[in-house]
Amino acid sequence: MEGVKAKIAPSMLSSDFANLASEAERMLQFGADWLHMDIMDGHFVPNLTIGAPVIQSLRKHTNAYLDCHLMVTNPLDYVEPLAKAGASGFTFHVEVSQEYWQELVQKIKSKGMTPGVALRPGTPVEQVFPLVEAEVPVELVLVMTVEPGFGGQKFMPEMMDKVRVLREKYPSLDIEVDGGLGPTTIDVAASAGANCIVAGSSVFGAPSPRDVISILRKSVEGAQCKS
Ligand code: DX5
Ligand code: ZN
């Protein structure tokens, strides 16, 4: 497999939000590539987290790639504020953007962010094909491996069929998995072809987050050597 680097992205949803800057710094020192930022609106999902003001505050403390996952009903409204706040990646859900994803992707790119598309467990993978194949394409597909909304849920291995289909079709696409990833579930995701790994509770809840990040990375790199 070529062109897809392993990217380990601790989900800051599992961090101590009251100490976000130091939590972020700690994860980067432990070897994280990206910081995964879960933005929820209490409507698309039954939970409410952070928005542009918090991204802006964090940006003042770090140069890290802020991988923003928008679990919101109206992602178009978030492009401008998040770009100003210093977001790096902007991954929206396909379920809410059927009517206007072209406009959305173009806006995200024109603001200098990397566009990505996410899909809930119940959404067929075919729905994202047009977005990956568009003239202005998304550059990452996030396959949810739990129902979005909360950390600490159980990994759904049946989602790996989606990852396999995507990897087969798009060898150089960034494919991200999110939900329930950790040392016991990474191998199946890595061998299916995922290269961007979000992990919240397994990293923040570990006695040694550094070791967990390293296990996740080795699994992705090992699977790439075999393919
Ligand atoms: C859930 C979020 C995830 C979550 C993952 O809706 O998208 O990023 O923080 O947490 P874990 O790794 O604990 O399942
Ligand atoms: Zn997420």
Side-chain angles (χ1 to χ4, degrees):
M1 199 190 292
E2 256 176 46
V4 283
K5 267 192 77 188
K7 280 147 199 151
I8 311 304
S11 170
M12 301 310 288
L13 184 60
S14 287
S15 75
D16 175 6
F17 270 152
N19 290 296
L20 191 54
S22 61
E23 291 282 78
E25 181 54 33
R26 192 163 75 97
M27 287 303 133
L28 295 165
Q29 276 170 11
F30 290 155
D33 301 277
W34 289 355
L35 300 174
H36 185 79
M37 309 302 297
D38 287 300
I39 294 171
M40 306 184 191
D41 65 354
H43 186 256
F44 180 70
V45 287
N47 196 6
L48 185 65
T49 54
I50 59 162
V54 175
I55 299 293
Q56 191 175 353
S57 297
L58 180 59
R59 180 49 85 211
K60 295 195 178 110
H61 295 269
T62 182
N63 292 321
Y65 187 95
L66 300 179
D67 174 38
C68 297
H69 175 194
L70 282 101
M71 286 158 276
V72 304
T73 306
N74 52 340
L76 260 176
D77 295 348
Y78 289 71
V79 176
E80 189 96 34
L82 275 176
K84 277 202 185 120
S88 311
F90 186 113
T91 299
F92 59 88
H93 268 265
V94 71
E95 298 85 6
V96 293
S97 54
Q98 296 288 1
E99 255 94 87
Y100 56 82
W101 59 263
Q102 274 132 323
E103 180 193 350
L104 181 55
V105 172
Q106 273 168 11
K107 251 186 130 174
I108 294 166
K109 272 206 87 114
S110 74
K111 296 284 169 195
M113 299 181 290
T114 303
V117 67
L119 59 161
R120 303 183 88 127
T123 304
V125 69
E126 293 75 23
Q127 283 195 17
V128 304
F129 294 170
L131 286 75
V132 181
E133 293 169 19
E135 203 174 313
V136 183
V138 292
E139 293 168 36
L140 174 146
V141 174
L142 190 173
V143 175
M144 286 303 300
T145 46
V146 298
E147 277 302 337
F150 299 93
Q153 303 180 75
K154 203 171 161 286
F155 177 76
M156 301 166 77
E158 60 275 25
M159 293 303 125
M160 293 306 97
D161 287 344
K162 294 184 190 177
V163 174
R164 271 186 287 272
V165 166
L166 289 166
R167 180 54 73 217
E168 178 106 329
K169 239 173 129 51
Y170 311 114
S172 58
L173 178 69
D174 272 334
I175 302 177
E176 187 167 55
V177 282
D178 183 7
L181 272 306
T184 58
T185 50
I186 184 61
D187 287 349
V188 49
S191 57
N195 66 301
C196 303
I197 311 298
V198 177
S201 47
S202 71
V203 169
F204 284 92
S208 171
R210 185 191 294 279
D211 289 347
V212 174
I213 290 171
S214 148
I215 290 166
L216 299 176
R217 183 186 310 288
K218 282 192 184 130
S219 179
V220 173
E221 289 173 355
Q224 290 181 342
C225 289
K226 279 181 218 143
S227 70

